[in-house]
Amino acid sequence: MKSLTKIITATGIAGILLTTAIVIADDDRYEKNERHEKGYLGKFFSKKLDVAPVKNALYKEECGSCHFAYQPGLLPARSWTKMMGDLENHFDENAELDKDVQTKLTQYLVKNAADHANYKRSRRIMNSLSKTDSPLRITETPYFIRKHNEIPKRMVKDNPKLGSFSKCAACHTYAEKGSYDDDAVNIPGIGRWDDD
Amino acid sequence: MIRKLGITVVLFSASTVIFADAISDMFTQYKAQGVTSIDAKAGQAMWSKEFKNQKTGKMRSCTNCHGNDLTQAGKHVKTGKEIKPMAPSAYNKRLTDVKKIKKWFKRNCKWTVGRECSAQEQADILSYLQKL
């Protein structure tokens, strides 16, 4: 019994040391989160989540200041590269960044883009695009349009409390966590969405 | 307990120092660019002034997104996302990072005024905001 406790303790300590070593070895704290997410935990979560949630603090700060921080897994890498190459003219807004920040964010986006992510919605979005399509809007991908075409205009564009489909988190209550389950939709000023 | 208190005090004073630094850093830079006097009233006027946009023909102003009462949260004119209050007294992270201040001055002046704001204009606006 005692020796069993010893073995467990020893294994535990070894585990902690190993984890510490990995953490120390990795000096990029943003990268670390992503790798963690995509590793053993990623496999488990990908069954439940629609897209990988955003864990990158720099991305949240820079791409979440004007709107919801869209998950990289919602567009292909070629879309992100195109978008990041013209941030000065970003949907009629100026979103320009310092070169170093821009480079870091592009790398993060490309690495976690829909064509590089093993998540259900990412795969479906990719399947809905032809090989050369590089849409800049998630809301203009065929998959998105198909999934939202039953929602009447009065609830979105003509809804003074909403105004557009681009505000994912206004309707999808768990959007921030990477879940877009149609059972967890609550449209502002309208209420819960019932499919049946 | 005492140790915890000590750490809190150290952290607190550190954040106060950083806060004072970002704004005085900016003022030092403006002075180096030739700004000799700073006028908060002119800053306030610039803040609420309306500028006609070349492309759309519509009027734009800083208040479009930041609102009129700067102790309250603003709302992004296009995306509707909430923007934390601009008054440092209402949001203690406001104006505490030189890089962030520069980034947004560049973007927001280009979008609102149609050009970058001069060192003088930035200094005036900052001194107006600082006191809120």
Side-chain angles (χ1 to χ4, degrees):
Chain A
M1 190 56 199
K2 255 193 186 156
S3 60
L4 186 66
T5 320
K6 268 186 197 156
I7 291 170
I8 292 172
T9 316
T11 321
I13 292 175
I16 291 169
L17 289 179
L18 190 65
T19 320
T20 318
I22 292 169
V23 170
I24 293 172
D26 196 338
D27 58 3
D28 189 339
R29 69 196 165 100
Y30 302 123
E31 288 293 308
K32 191 181 74 212
N33 284 335
E34 280 342 292
R35 198 173 307 156
H36 186 64
E37 181 58 37
K38 268 195 155 171
Y40 43 97
L41 280 179
K43 281 212 184 79
F44 170 69
F45 278 126
S46 68
K47 291 204 183 77
K48 284 197 193 150
L49 290 177
D50 295 302
V51 294
V54 172
K55 294 277 172 82
N56 184 316
L58 182 68
Y59 182 81
K60 268 192 201 160
E61 163 77 22
E62 297 298 345
C63 303
S65 49
C66 293
H67 48 60
F68 170 68
Y70 304 107
Q71 288 93 359
L74 292 168
L75 284 176
R78 53 184 186 267
S79 294
W80 293 123
T81 318
K82 194 164 139 194
M83 182 181 296
M84 295 304 284
D86 193 16
L87 284 177
E88 247 189 282
N89 300 296
H90 181 76
F91 305 92
D92 289 325
E93 196 97 0
N94 188 320
E96 66 188 294
L97 289 166
D98 282 349
K99 190 79 199 150
D100 58 328
V101 179
Q102 187 197 323
T103 309
K104 272 195 198 139
L105 291 177
T106 309
Q107 281 166 357
Y108 164 73
L109 283 164
V110 166
K111 199 169 154 200
N112 297 281
D115 36 350
H116 300 150
N118 190 21
Y119 282 80
K120 185 171 168 186
R121 305 297 166 193
S122 299
R123 284 195 303 267
R124 304 226 165 131
I125 288 168
M126 283 317 295
N127 289 341
S128 82
L129 296 170
S130 82
K131 285 231 163 21
T132 52
D133 282 346
S134 38
L136 294 182
R137 281 191 185 270
I138 301 150
T139 51
E140 281 172 4
T141 59
Y143 178 74
F144 183 95
I145 295 169
R146 192 178 342 120
K147 277 288 172 184
H148 295 85
N149 69 0
E150 276 178 31
I151 310 165
K153 222 171 133 187
R154 64 169 181 92
M155 293 188 181
V156 189
K157 205 166 182 295
D158 299 340
N159 177 354
K161 291 223 165 88
L162 187 62
S164 109
F165 268 125
S166 303
K167 300 172 194 167
C168 317
C171 294
H172 291 280
T173 50
Y174 296 105
E176 201 121 0
K177 299 199 155 62
S179 166
Y180 289 94
D181 196 323
D182 54 7
D183 286 335
V185 174
N186 197 339
I187 305 178
I190 307 281
R192 290 191 63 82
W193 175 261
D194 216 339
D195 207 11
D196 317 299
Chain B
M1 179 57 196
I2 290 179
R3 210 173 126 221
K4 244 192 187 164
L5 203 67
I7 293 173
T8 319
V9 170
V10 168
L11 284 179
F12 185 75
S13 36
S15 65
T16 320
V17 171
I18 292 167
F19 171 75
D21 263 352
I23 294 183
S24 46
D25 253 27
M26 293 301 297
F27 285 140
T28 312
Q29 293 182 25
Y30 296 139
K31 286 209 181 90
Q33 291 170 52
V35 173
T36 50
S37 66
I38 295 168
D39 182 355
K41 276 237 166 71
Q44 181 172 13
M46 175 91 181
W47 183 268
S48 42
K49 189 173 171 185
E50 297 205 304
F51 301 89
K52 190 168 177 165
N53 182 253
Q54 302 285 343
K55 259 195 280 175
T56 63
K58 285 199 186 131
M59 304 306 279
R60 291 181 174 181
S61 110
C62 306
T63 61
N64 284 173
C65 294
H66 294 294
N68 285 310
D69 180 355
L70 300 189
T71 63
Q72 302 288 317
K75 197 167 170 241
H76 193 283
V77 67
K78 205 126 136 249
T79 66
K81 191 178 152 83
E82 187 188 288
I83 301 174
K84 297 251 168 60
M86 279 307 273
S89 62
Y91 177 48
N92 65 7
K93 292 210 183 88
R94 222 12 118 211
L95 309 172
T96 53
D97 177 351
V98 168
K99 262 186 149 171
K100 180 166 176 174
I101 298 172
K102 284 189 178 171
K103 175 180 74 186
W104 285 106
F105 259 134
K106 193 169 177 190
R107 286 176 176 168
N108 291 345
C109 285
K110 278 190 180 174
W111 190 86
T112 313
V113 189
R115 57 165 171 84
E116 287 195 41
C117 292
S118 67
Q120 181 70 56
E121 288 167 334
Q122 291 186 32
D124 292 347
I125 291 172
L126 216 49
S127 74
Y128 160 62
L129 293 176
Q130 177 188 28
K131 297 201 178 83
L132 296 171

